[in-house]
Amino acid sequence: MISSFKVPSIRDIVSSSNRIQQYIHKTPVLTSTSINELIGASLYFKCENYQKVGAFKIRGATNAILQLNDKEKTNGVVTHSSGNHGQAIALAAKWFNSKAYIIMPENSAKPKIEAIRGYGAEIIFCGPTQRDREVTVENLITKTNAHFIHPYDDDRIICGQATAAKEFMEEMPDLDYIIAPIGGGGLISGTILSAQYFNPKTKIIGVEPQEVDDAYQSLKAGVLQKNGTINTLADGLRASLSERTFSIIKNGIHEIITISEAEMIKAMRLVWERMKIIIEPSSATVMAAALKQKEKLKGKKIGLIITGGNVDLEALPFTTHSY
Amino acid sequence: MISSFKVPSIRDIVSSSNRIQQYIHKTPVLTSTSINELIGASLYFKCENYQKVGAFKIRGATNAILQLNDKEKTNGVVTHSSGNHGQAIALAAKWFNSKAYIIMPENSAKPKIEAIRGYGAEIIFCGPTQRDREVTVENLITKTNAHFIHPYDDDRIICGQATAAKEFMEEMPDLDYIIAPIGGGGLISGTILSAQYFNPKTKIIGVEPQEVDDAYQSLKAGVLQKNGTINTLADGLRASLSERTFSIIKNGIHEIITISEAEMIKAMRLVWERMKIIIEPSSATVMAAALKQKEKLKGKKIGLIITGGNVDLEALPFTTHSY
């Protein structure tokens, strides 16, 4: 299969940034002397855990919903996501008086269900498979004419997520690298495009848990691969790339680093203990990558995108003192 | 017993502030829209969890050590504390080339021992009682001539801790209340003095866990009472007041609120989940007090001193979804 997507332009990203700016937080960039000493480099943490809904996902969701016409808004929007994208769509829909339908597996965690209901969205439960989700979405669209907003296979989402790196590089124009995690590829695609358009000297490194390394495998094979399992604590990174996000990654990524679950948990603990900030497992992957690659990163200026801070405090992975 | 301490002057606090300023962080003041909505008031969190050693204690420790003469510095300093004060003395001693001896109970948590050793201090273990600590301190002083720096019964410490509220009120000059926890009374005494000297309209509210409510009981009785137990998760608040700190509290506190362990844990969880910042149980007491008193606080501007962020990630209290 040949992928030939029209990639979003610099103008698309600039207009997305202008469109959403007043609704989202300009998140802080934090540093830690002790972590810098540990890595031997200067690390800058772009803290999207302090973003609305506790994750960067509100950027793409707001960008998509603000481009709907009145009829589409009235019919409502639908997405399938038990995580941060679901919350983001629910909140953005509430802001702009649209109805949101969120398709979630029956076994979703209770706090996530409560959070989405708290934003006034209607939850429709489905079975556990990807096919269950798709059928439920299709049925709902048939019934309601709701407008579907995919979590990442959508240029409005990619352009929205791109604004995180744009904002980051405006504040820190001389980063050698930005490290960001790869799930379905919305954030990393946006990050790659923003670097190409606004700061081509900044190289983009992607990170995946070894258990869900479809992007790494796809790059190696040259064609899109799917994750065989979703066996990772990084619940934000279980999705597989689409042809759209793969084509952007293929053409723009500097490197993909894969990390183990143990490396991720160790990195999460390091950030919690040294920086006193709550980051979710998916975000800890970028710290893990910096620890793993410290020899190569020595003396560099490195931006880390901390994607979110939504964790289940009743199921934390800190059982042994691991470093 | 009649207490007649000469209370530190405005000049003492100003010179302490000038003395330590270049060595400590000016910590951020954070806010949370969702917590403001919950309380119906404007809350400002002075985040000393982002202070060096992860707690305000470095203020007092630095202030004390900077006032030693060369001979005292050479002999070294000693304190008894298995917690944040011990770490603070260890770090400040390292900065100014003094030797630090930290007296700790044998059963202290391993991460705390490691942190203090990491700052280059010498740890001397002792038995579990207050008397064990005191004897060990006396023996060490006899042997080494080390200079004793009490965790709170010391004007240099009180003046150092006072700089947190001074800094807070400089940034937020129109607070109706500042809420701070009460352990041995060093922080609350400093907070009371800073308010009296720099911002007399700001009323100071103290908070104690019900299990260690010696300040509340002392105020009620009119004479100093001691804690009967140390049965609280708030490990920073187990100490009892001294005559010195009680005399300042008696003359300056607006109110003392006591809270249950369950209220403290619920408040800690609220701050972790909504603000994505790590605060220790002792700090969560102030959020618990604001929740408990929300009717009285409605519409007010309230400063909360978040004292620290040092928690044992292997022993977190979040076992059930509690709100």
Side-chain angles (χ1 to χ4, degrees):
Chain A
M1 180 177 172
I2 296 160
S3 64
S4 58
F5 292 95
K6 190 173 162 292
V7 166
S9 68
I10 184 167
R11 192 176 297 179
D12 292 330
I13 295 177
V14 170
S15 59
S16 297
S17 175
N18 293 337
R19 186 179 295 119
I20 69 174
Q21 202 161 9
Q22 64 180 295
Y23 304 107
I24 61 156
H25 289 312
K26 183 171 183 294
T27 51
V29 174
L30 303 183
T31 62
S32 161
T33 310
S34 86
I35 292 180
N36 283 348
E37 283 169 7
L38 192 67
I39 306 284
S42 298
L43 272 60
Y44 301 88
F45 295 75
K46 174 68 172 167
C47 285
E48 291 287 302
N49 52 332
Y50 296 121
Q51 189 51 268
K52 296 200 177 166
V53 307
F56 71 93
K57 293 277 188 182
I58 193 68
R59 295 175 180 270
T62 304
N63 193 42
I65 289 180
L66 279 172
Q67 293 177 73
L68 300 180
N69 62 35
D70 285 348
K71 188 162 183 304
E72 287 167 330
K73 263 192 226 168
T74 306
N75 291 340
V77 293
V78 57
T79 196
H80 51 71
S81 161
S82 56
N84 293 332
H85 175 69
Q87 287 194 41
I89 290 289
L91 180 60
K94 184 184 165 199
W95 286 342
F96 306 112
N97 302 310
S98 183
K99 164 123 190 151
Y101 303 95
I102 313 293
I103 314 291
M104 293 175 78
E106 278 150 358
N107 61 357
S108 300
K110 210 178 143 203
K112 291 186 174 180
I113 297 173
E114 284 169 7
I116 287 177
R117 283 216 178 107
Y119 294 130
E122 183 175 333
I123 296 175
I124 296 104
F125 291 106
C126 67
T129 70
Q130 183 64 24
R131 183 77 196 124
D132 292 330
R133 289 178 167 211
E134 288 165 7
V135 170
T136 313
V137 168
E138 281 160 26
N139 289 345
L140 187 100
I141 292 173
T142 308
K143 219 172 71 183
T144 63
N145 261 319
H147 180 93
F148 180 55
I149 303 177
H150 192 280
Y152 52 89
D153 190 33
D154 183 315
D155 283 344
R156 300 167 299 183
I157 296 294
I158 291 172
C159 288
Q161 321 306 31
T163 64
K166 176 174 181 287
E167 205 178 278
F168 197 2
M169 293 183 296
E170 280 162 6
E171 186 166 342
M172 301 292 314
D174 55 352
L175 294 173
D176 297 301
Y177 299 99
I178 290 178
I179 310 182
I182 308 180
L187 177 69
I188 197 79
S189 295
T191 304
I192 287 169
L193 295 178
S194 277
Q196 286 176 349
Y197 295 142
F198 306 113
N199 233 10
K201 282 188 194 154
T202 301
K203 298 187 182 89
I204 307 305
I205 297 174
V207 192
E208 286 182 307
Q210 282 158 6
E211 296 284 336
V212 288
D213 65 345
D214 63 308
Y216 180 82
Q217 297 299 342
S218 299
L219 264 195
K220 212 168 118 181
V223 292
L224 190 60
Q225 308 290 310
K226 296 278 170 194
N227 287 320
T229 74
I230 54 163
N231 190 23
T232 175
L233 193 68
D235 54 350
L237 307 182
R238 290 174 187 153
S240 294
L241 300 185
S242 68
E243 289 289 353
R244 184 190 310 269
T245 55
F246 179 47
S247 73
I248 297 172
I249 292 169
K250 206 168 48 183
N251 292 316
I253 201 134
H254 176 66
E255 185 182 3
I256 294 178
I257 295 168
T258 63
I259 52 122
S260 70
E261 295 295 300
E263 287 167 335
M264 178 171 66
I265 292 167
K266 182 180 158 190
M268 182 163 153
R269 182 174 187 138
L270 178 74
V271 171
W272 284 42
E273 290 192 342
R274 301 286 176 93
M275 298 182 71
K276 315 296 182 199
I277 67 175
I278 293 181
I279 68 170
E280 58 189 44
S282 303
S283 302
T285 58
V286 297
M287 181 74 244
L291 284 164
K292 194 164 187 168
Q293 298 288 310
K294 62 188 262 194
E295 293 313 318
K296 274 162 84 173
L297 300 177
K298 216 158 263 322
K300 301 290 185 190
K301 284 196 161 185
I302 305 146
L304 308 183
I305 300 188
I306 300 300
T307 48
N310 294 327
V311 294
D312 181 353
L313 293 181
E314 286 168 32
L316 292 173
F318 308 121
T319 48
T320 54
H321 193 60
S322 56
Y323 70 94
Chain B
M1 181 177 169
I2 296 160
S3 64
S4 58
F5 292 95
K6 190 173 161 293
V7 167
S9 67
I10 184 167
R11 192 176 297 180
D12 292 331
I13 295 177
V14 171
S15 58
S16 297
S17 176
N18 294 336
R19 187 179 295 121
I20 69 174
Q21 202 161 9
Q22 64 180 296
Y23 304 107
I24 60 158
H25 290 312
K26 182 171 184 296
T27 50
V29 174
L30 303 183
T31 61
S32 161
T33 311
S34 86
I35 293 179
N36 284 348
E37 283 169 7
L38 194 67
I39 306 285
S42 298
L43 273 59
Y44 301 88
F45 294 75
K46 174 68 172 166
C47 284
E48 291 287 301
N49 52 332
Y50 296 121
Q51 188 51 268
K52 296 200 175 165
V53 307
F56 72 93
K57 293 278 186 180
I58 193 69
R59 294 176 180 269
T62 304
N63 193 41
I65 288 180
L66 279 172
Q67 293 179 73
L68 300 180
N69 63 35
D70 286 347
K71 186 160 183 304
E72 287 165 331
K73 262 193 226 166
T74 307
N75 290 341
V77 293
V78 57
T79 196
H80 50 72
S81 161
S82 55
N84 293 332
H85 176 69
Q87 287 194 41
I89 290 289
L91 180 59
K94 185 185 164 197
W95 285 343
F96 306 112
N97 302 310
S98 184
K99 164 120 190 153
Y101 302 95
I102 312 293
I103 314 290
M104 293 174 78
E106 278 150 358
N107 61 356
S108 300
K110 212 178 141 201
K112 291 187 173 178
I113 297 173
E114 284 170 7
I116 287 177
R117 283 216 178 108
Y119 293 130
E122 184 174 332
I123 296 175
I124 296 102
F125 291 106
C126 66
T129 70
Q130 183 64 23
R131 182 78 196 124
D132 292 329
R133 289 177 168 213
E134 287 166 8
V135 170
T136 313
V137 169
E138 282 159 27
N139 289 345
L140 188 100
I141 292 172
T142 308
K143 219 172 70 181
T144 62
N145 262 318
H147 180 93
F148 181 55
I149 303 177
H150 192 280
Y152 52 88
D153 189 33
D154 183 315
D155 282 344
R156 300 167 300 182
I157 296 294
I158 291 171
C159 288
Q161 320 307 32
T163 64
K166 177 174 181 289
E167 204 179 279
F168 197 2
M169 292 184 296
E170 280 162 5
E171 186 166 343
M172 299 293 312
D174 55 352
L175 294 173
D176 297 301
Y177 299 99
I178 289 178
I179 310 181
I182 308 180
L187 176 70
I188 197 81
S189 295
T191 304
I192 287 169
L193 295 178
S194 277
Q196 286 176 348
Y197 295 143
F198 306 113
N199 233 10
K201 282 188 195 153
T202 301
K203 298 188 182 89
I204 307 304
I205 297 175
V207 192
E208 285 183 307
Q210 282 158 6
E211 296 284 337
V212 288
D213 65 345
D214 63 308
Y216 180 82
Q217 297 300 342
S218 299
L219 264 196
K220 212 167 118 182
V223 291
L224 190 61
Q225 307 291 309
K226 296 279 170 193
N227 287 320
T229 73
I230 54 163
N231 190 22
T232 176
L233 192 68
D235 54 351
L237 306 182
R238 291 174 186 153
S240 292
L241 301 185
S242 67
E243 289 289 354
R244 184 190 311 267
T245 55
F246 179 47
S247 75
I248 297 172
I249 292 168
K250 206 168 47 182
N251 292 317
I253 200 132
H254 176 66
E255 186 183 3
I256 294 179
I257 295 168
T258 63
I259 52 123
S260 70
E261 296 295 301
E263 286 166 335
M264 178 172 66
I265 292 167
K266 182 180 158 189
M268 183 164 153
R269 181 173 187 139
L270 178 73
V271 172
W272 284 42
E273 290 192 343
R274 301 285 177 94
M275 298 182 71
K276 314 297 181 197
I277 68 175
I278 293 181
I279 68 169
E280 58 189 44
S282 303
S283 302
T285 58
V286 297
M287 182 73 245
L291 283 165
K292 194 162 188 169
Q293 298 289 310
K294 63 189 262 192
E295 292 314 318
K296 273 163 83 175
L297 299 177
K298 216 159 265 320
K300 301 291 184 188
K301 285 196 159 185
I302 305 146
L304 307 182
I305 300 188
I306 299 300
T307 49
N310 294 328
V311 293
D312 182 353
L313 294 180
E314 287 168 32
L316 293 173
F318 308 122
T319 48
T320 53
H321 192 60
S322 56
Y323 71 94

